[in-house]
Amino acid sequence: MPVERNETLAVNRSEDVVLVRAKTRDWSISLGFTIVEQTKMVTAASELARNLVVHAGGGTVRLETINSEQRRGLRLTFEDQGPGIADIQQALRDGFSSKGGLGLGLSGSKRLVNEFDISSTPGEGTRICIVRWK
Amino acid sequence: MAVKSKSLAEIMKQHRSEILSGWLEYQKNGATSTNGALKREEIESESREFLGLFSGALEHDGAEPDMRSSAWSEVREYLDQFSQSRAQAGFSPSETATFVFSLKQPLFDKLKVAMGESQTLVDEIWRSTILLDSLGLYVTERYQKAREQTIARQQQEMIELSTPVVTLWEGILALPLIGTLDSERTQVVMESLLQKIVDAEAQIAIIDITGVPTVDTLVAQHLLKTVAAARLMGAECIISGIRPQIAATIVHLGVDLAGVTTKASLADALRVALDRNGLHIASR
Amino acid sequence: MDRIPILKLGDCLLVSIQVDMHDRLAISLQDDLTERINKDRARGVLIDISALEIVDSFIGRMLSNIAAMARVLDARTVVVGMRPAVAITLVELGLSLEGVATALNVERGMELILSLTGRKRLLAGELNHNARRKE
């Protein structure tokens, strides 16, 4: 899929999550997302960026504007070298939390985007890719 | 080969005004002006401008003219606009494409005169045919696109027109929904209702679905989500006008309406809303 | 470290969140508020989030926590001014902020706090309504 532009951010502290939100908002606006679409994408980005800090001690987010069959979209890829997720199905269930949170980070952000792709190897890390189309 | 193609360009250049008058004649008798919506002067200026660009493109293009090449960009741009304006003016696709196709005859007439009955003529006619056909198809394609845009815009307008949010009383809004609700429309409607709640500082919004024939799971869920979102904003939603069949569907679908105020009619809902605002209606 | 200012108005505490909070800032607001409720013997807490462009599960949990802790300290919390897009997103995320009272704006929020803490006279209509119910 053709990528129009991309940028990678390091996410290590909770202040970095704020930066990810700001960047995601800027990119969503430049793609012409409606206020609701922007808010959904930024919220999903916030959840997943926080996961990097809380569960993996840090990681990276890659932002990309992509193009497919006359559609444009925003793709965010979250990568870490953390402990990984042993049971992805369980992690995606509403209310499941390994760190005493609400357990809505993964399952909730999945509902906020058009495409959600997760792959993880225990001991090696996790990679989550989300897309929202205009 | 280059020589032959050059001749098409040359003929266009040398005999442009004659070809134009021939073309206008064919258009007058042909389909482009059948509904009489266009003035003769308009057709003439359009044809003149197109021929100018067409001739210029032929001159700059190589041996085998290809309308997708950069030499034809101005022609394509012109046809984009042309197709769009015809689509908006309500012309049919064939009427629109005939603008290009009707150029064949005057052009071939001229070629015949210039070259006589020869193999060169056949080749040149063949080449022009391919070129004009592809331009004609291009016009149709663009026309279709413009129509689709018009339809999309009208759909959007329909959504907005068919969902008026009205103020029933100070702080009480009503959204009477009419017609089939699809998921997309419900979403748009709900977003505009929530915005109106903020604008009007309304504490209560009544969603009346008396005019809605059926409700599917997705729509029912959108309704519930709207009620939940309004609550988060500090407003209450009442759903009224749920007909027996819809009530049955909702129960059958397993949608949980607990925690949502529902009333049989808009009047009942209004009574509840007034009551919440500390008002009540009494007869004198 | 920067902090979100807490204002006192009568026996109510007022917070208007004007910045995009990082998580530690949110936690310090939660701690500061519980401390102030106790120290000022506040009966109500009003949190204005009209400037917030998103509320994610973390901020959502913070709001629920504040409301729950305030309740234990005998104060009522009202969250006001949530934007429509934020509300839609929160619902989609699966968060309903159970136990948190909400109002459209600061003015309505103050009224709600007064009535929740039993210091606002019931409206005529409400009286009628209650009287009818008793009959």
Side-chain angles (χ1 to χ4, degrees):
Chain A
M1 216 175 296
V3 175
E4 285 177 18
R5 65 165 175 153
N6 74 87
E7 186 175 347
T8 303
L9 305 170
V11 184
N12 298 308
R13 307 172 306 150
S14 76
E15 283 87 341
D16 297 336
V17 177
V18 176
L19 183 66
V20 171
R21 292 204 284 254
K23 284 274 180 196
T24 308
R25 176 166 299 275
D26 287 351
W27 285 49
S28 301
I29 290 171
S30 70
L31 272 165
F33 284 8
T34 65
I35 300 282
V36 174
E37 288 168 338
Q38 287 169 32
T39 310
K40 286 183 176 176
M41 193 59 174
V42 175
T43 307
S46 180
E47 298 292 342
L48 298 175
R50 177 178 299 107
N51 278 355
L52 294 179
V53 179
V54 175
H55 296 290
T60 57
V61 182
R62 190 168 71 247
L63 294 96
E64 292 164 302
T65 305
I66 55 171
N67 228 322
S68 162
E69 294 161 20
Q70 320 207 322
R71 283 193 308 178
R72 292 176 78 212
L74 179 57
R75 179 166 66 193
L76 305 181
T77 310
F78 301 79
E79 267 175 305
D80 67 59
Q81 273 83 51
I85 302 166
D87 187 345
I88 290 178
Q89 287 311 313
Q90 184 190 43
L92 278 172
R93 257 202 308 275
D94 267 358
F96 174 79
S97 171
S98 59
K99 285 261 164 95
L102 291 172
L104 291 169
L106 275 191
S107 57
S109 46
K110 189 178 177 188
R111 284 192 291 269
L112 298 177
V113 295
N114 299 125
E115 286 171 30
F116 184 97
D117 186 58
I118 179 168
S119 55
S120 184
T121 314
E124 285 178 25
T126 305
R127 183 176 173 279
I128 297 174
C129 186
I130 57 173
V131 180
R132 200 168 172 104
W133 296 106
K134 172 53 206 158
Chain B
M1 287 295 275
V3 181
K4 286 173 196 165
S5 171
K6 210 65 192 166
S7 57
L8 176 60
E10 266 163 21
I11 286 164
M12 262 318 294
K13 206 173 160 187
Q14 281 164 15
H15 306 283
R16 194 155 84 194
S17 60
E18 291 158 66
I19 293 173
L20 175 65
S21 57
W23 189 23
L24 288 172
E25 200 60 33
Y26 281 113
Q27 286 191 72
K28 205 167 75 186
N29 305 328
T32 11
S33 58
T34 41
N35 65 8
L38 285 176
K39 287 199 195 84
R40 182 199 282 265
E41 299 85 60
E42 279 179 83
I43 299 171
E44 194 172 326
S45 81
E46 278 176 349
S47 307
R48 189 188 305 279
E49 196 176 345
F50 176 77
L51 270 193
L53 295 170
F54 181 77
S55 168
L58 274 175
E59 225 177 308
H60 289 104
D61 206 1
E64 300 286 334
D66 177 7
M67 55 115 356
R68 283 164 301 183
S69 69
S70 61
W72 293 83
S73 69
E74 279 183 68
V75 174
R76 286 197 304 268
E77 263 169 48
Y78 180 79
L79 289 180
D80 284 353
Q81 276 185 1
F82 172 83
S83 315
Q84 210 173 342
S85 73
R86 289 294 160 105
Q88 277 158 6
F91 284 81
S92 76
S94 59
E95 280 169 336
T96 309
T98 303
F99 174 73
V100 173
F101 291 136
S102 62
L103 177 57
K104 280 185 184 181
Q105 205 149 358
L107 188 61
F108 295 171
D109 290 348
K110 207 32 74 198
L111 287 174
K112 218 170 359 184
V113 173
M115 298 176 173
E117 303 281 344
S118 67
Q119 185 57 38
T120 330
L121 173 68
V122 176
D123 288 349
E124 211 50 75
I125 285 185
W126 181 239
R127 199 169 280 128
S128 329
T129 300
I130 290 173
L131 180 64
L132 287 174
D133 284 356
S134 59
L135 284 172
L137 288 173
Y138 181 77
V139 166
T140 325
E141 197 183 286
R142 289 287 140 168
Y143 171 91
Q144 199 59 37
K145 196 149 215 165
R147 289 290 280 200
E148 277 161 16
Q149 281 165 356
T150 309
I151 291 167
R153 203 192 60 236
Q154 284 170 344
Q155 267 174 344
Q156 187 60 36
E157 282 168 3
M158 278 258 290
I159 288 174
E160 282 158 16
L161 279 176
S162 59
T163 52
V165 180
V166 293
T167 305
L168 287 185
W169 202 268
E170 201 181 308
I172 303 172
L173 293 180
L175 173 69
L177 290 174
I178 292 159
T180 308
L181 290 174
D182 59 29
S183 178
E184 194 191 350
R185 181 180 165 212
T186 315
Q187 207 162 338
V188 173
V189 167
M190 295 312 164
E191 282 173 24
S192 77
L193 175 67
L194 295 177
Q195 189 54 51
K196 281 277 172 56
I197 287 176
V198 176
D199 297 344
E201 292 187 21
Q203 277 165 304
I204 299 182
I206 301 168
I207 303 171
D208 184 74
I209 58 170
T210 310
V212 177
T214 53
V215 167
D216 64 15
T217 321
L218 271 178
V219 171
Q221 272 165 359
H222 275 307
L223 284 173
L224 288 178
K225 283 178 187 169
T226 309
V227 175
R231 199 199 75 81
L232 286 174
M233 290 163 52
E236 190 190 352
C237 285
I238 301 172
I239 301 178
S240 71
I242 304 181
R243 294 182 298 134
Q245 304 98 295
I246 291 184
T249 319
I250 287 174
V251 172
H252 183 69
L253 293 171
V255 178
D256 185 12
L257 278 182
V260 180
T261 312
T262 53
K263 287 288 155 211
S265 71
L266 183 57
D268 290 341
L270 178 60
R271 193 169 294 127
V272 171
L274 288 170
D275 202 69
R276 298 264 159 90
N277 278 11
L279 300 160
H280 83 122
I281 299 168
S283 53
R284 275 194 287 179
Chain C
M1 199 177 76
D2 49 354
R3 279 186 138 64
I4 309 276
I6 300 171
L7 308 177
K8 188 168 176 289
L9 191 74
D11 56 5
C12 277
L13 296 177
L14 232 86
V15 176
S16 182
I17 304 172
Q18 298 286 333
V19 291
D20 189 359
M21 293 187 292
H22 56 75
D23 295 358
R24 278 186 290 112
L25 187 55
I27 289 172
S28 68
L29 173 63
Q30 191 177 310
D31 295 345
D32 291 354
L33 260 176
T34 29
E35 202 174 299
R36 285 285 298 273
I37 294 169
N38 199 32
K39 202 182 97 195
D40 297 348
R41 296 179 181 277
R43 299 288 310 279
V45 177
L46 191 137
I47 305 173
D48 171 32
I49 59 163
S50 59
L52 283 191
E53 290 179 331
I54 70 149
V55 170
D56 61 10
S57 65
F58 192 86
I59 311 272
R61 184 157 53 126
M62 176 203 77
L63 294 173
S64 293
N65 286 350
I66 290 173
M69 289 192 240
R71 196 80 180 84
V72 175
L73 296 168
D74 196 27
R76 304 301 294 260
T77 306
V78 175
V79 171
V80 309
M82 187 185 290
R83 298 181 180 188
V86 173
I88 291 170
T89 305
L90 261 186
V91 170
E92 205 70 52
L93 198 59
L95 232 66
S96 55
L97 301 189
E98 290 298 331
V100 180
T102 53
L104 287 171
N105 51 39
V106 175
E107 201 181 343
R108 293 274 164 80
M110 288 306 286
E111 280 173 23
L112 185 56
I113 283 182
L114 289 177
S115 77
L116 285 173
T117 50
R119 284 170 298 165
K120 200 183 110 196
R121 273 191 306 121
L122 286 171
L123 289 162
E126 287 165 359
L127 273 174
N128 281 342
H129 178 61
N130 290 342
R132 271 205 311 278
R133 253 197 222 145
K134 276 175 197 148
E135 276 165 18

